[in-house]
Amino acid sequence: MKKEIIVITGGPGTGKTTIINQLIEQGHTCYPEISRAITLEAKKQGIEQLFLEKPLLFSELLLEGRKKQLQAALDETASTIFLDRGIPDILAYMHYIGDSYPSFFDIACKEHQYTKVFVLPPWEQIYESDEARYENFEQAKLIFDHLTETYHTYGYELIEVPKGTVTERIHFIFSKLEKV
């Protein structure tokens, strides 16, 4: 049985978490985005916005968490596992803020591979800011550009998910998986 480790990525506010939550409701094996949990933990320790105040530390915590998620996904009995973001997302965000990073981030992207990557394009009609999503829509579009560039750098052919209802988007994703 071939295991499919599927990443759903895109800039902030594009519907990734909504899709992941719907997939979970449908009984699929999914791993949620972990950046909010890291941000909330930092707030408990008095750091209001860890990504902005200590971007390298935030990125290192994300890297460890995403590596653990990938290993857990590989250990799953399910044949298809969905992840809300992948390791290259970390570098894309670091490129976006113009931060440099140690080579182990690049090595992690090369050593930890995913089967397919679906990308959700910027969609102003559904975009919302909140306490953990501080970017405006113009910044979200720039992050999308960094995400696509970074994933291409590591050899991924991105599959862009068209705008539509959650059901339509999930149907599109599964139509592309059936061709594996």
Side-chain angles (χ1 to χ4, degrees):
M1 172 178 73
K2 184 178 178 194
K3 188 168 295 238
E4 301 291 331
I5 309 292
I6 311 301
V7 169
I8 299 176
T9 191
T14 55
K16 295 174 303 300
T17 301
T18 301
I19 288 172
I20 290 289
N21 289 341
Q22 184 64 40
L23 288 168
I24 291 168
E25 280 187 34
Q26 294 176 2
H28 298 283
T29 304
C30 302
Y31 286 82
E33 165 62 278
I34 59 174
S35 64
R36 284 181 185 265
I38 292 170
T39 300
L40 290 173
E41 183 58 36
K43 283 184 178 186
K44 288 179 188 175
Q45 298 174 18
I47 303 170
E48 191 55 34
Q49 188 51 264
L50 183 60
F51 175 68
L52 296 176
E53 295 177 38
K54 297 182 180 183
L56 187 57
L57 174 60
F58 178 81
S59 297
E60 288 171 351
L61 293 170
L62 271 181
L63 179 61
E64 287 311 307
R66 292 207 177 125
K67 284 166 56 175
K68 286 177 185 174
Q69 279 187 328
L70 180 57
Q71 186 56 56
L74 290 168
D75 293 340
E76 287 281 351
T77 57
S79 61
T80 304
I81 298 94
F82 296 93
L83 303 174
D84 188 340
R85 297 197 178 275
I87 294 172
D89 286 64
I90 302 166
L91 272 70
Y93 272 82
M94 293 177 85
H95 295 158
Y96 165 71
I97 64 169
D99 208 4
S100 59
Y101 48 86
S103 62
F104 62 80
F105 283 95
D106 177 60
I107 292 166
C109 287
K110 292 175 182 172
E111 291 179 347
H112 299 82
Q113 294 288 304
Y114 306 98
T115 310
K116 282 189 182 282
V117 178
F118 289 90
V119 63
L120 306 179
W123 188 358
E124 193 164 15
Q125 287 73 22
I126 68 168
Y127 182 83
E128 293 180 9
S129 293
D130 62 25
E131 71 283 345
R133 183 184 301 134
Y134 56 86
E135 305 92 354
N136 64 36
F137 184 69
E138 291 305 312
Q139 292 169 317
K141 291 192 301 188
L142 291 172
I143 290 167
F144 172 80
D145 293 341
H146 284 285
L147 286 164
T148 56
E149 181 181 321
T150 302
Y151 273 95
H152 284 137
T153 296
Y154 292 100
Y156 290 100
E157 290 184 35
L158 301 178
I159 303 166
E160 187 168 314
V161 178
K163 297 171 185 172
T165 66
V166 177
T167 301
E168 290 168 342
R169 293 176 116 187
I170 289 173
H171 177 75
F172 174 83
I173 290 167
F174 278 100
S175 76
K176 298 301 179 187
L177 295 181
E178 292 167 2
K179 297 176 182 174
V180 175

